[in-house]
Amino acid sequence: MAEAEPQEENSMKKMENCKKDLEKLLEEMEKITVRAAWMTYNIVTIHTDPDLAHSMKHLEDAFLRCKEQMERKWQEVLKE
């Protein structure tokens, strides 16, 4: 039984670390979502701006990076 306790503690630490990582990723996703909301709100004003395509590409790239990181973290959790 003494062996189960350190393993449980290790598992709990991993879960806590995972929780912290997921919270950080969620915070990043929230920031990206806010940016997307503002971009959508301002689209009428900036639709004639040639930088719109660049802004949308930047937003898409940020989303894809975040999505990729979330998928990697999820796979790490599943492997543990």
Side-chain angles (χ1 to χ4, degrees):
M1 288 228 153
E3 291 178 18
E5 290 177 12
Q7 187 176 3
E8 257 182 56
E9 288 177 22
N10 192 22
S11 179
M12 292 297 288
K13 286 179 185 177
K14 285 182 182 180
M15 289 300 292
E16 189 63 33
N17 289 339
C18 180
K19 181 180 175 184
K20 288 177 185 177
D21 289 343
L22 289 173
E23 286 173 352
K24 287 178 188 176
L25 292 172
L26 178 60
E27 189 174 315
E28 275 303 309
M29 285 295 290
E30 288 172 349
K31 289 177 185 177
I32 291 170
T33 301
V34 168
R35 286 183 62 197
W38 276 110
M39 287 178 72
T40 302
Y41 179 79
N42 291 321
I43 196 124
V44 173
T45 308
I46 64 174
H47 77 279
T48 56
D49 187 353
D51 288 336
L52 176 61
H54 175 73
S55 296
M56 292 301 288
K57 179 65 177 156
H58 176 74
L59 181 62
E60 181 183 15
D61 291 344
F63 170 77
L64 292 174
R65 283 192 310 270
C66 187
K67 181 180 173 186
E68 182 180 318
Q69 193 172 16
M70 288 288 288
E71 288 172 355
R72 265 190 264 125
K73 289 291 182 181
W74 180 245
Q75 290 302 320
E76 287 176 14
V77 168
L78 290 177
K79 287 179 184 177
E80 293 176 5

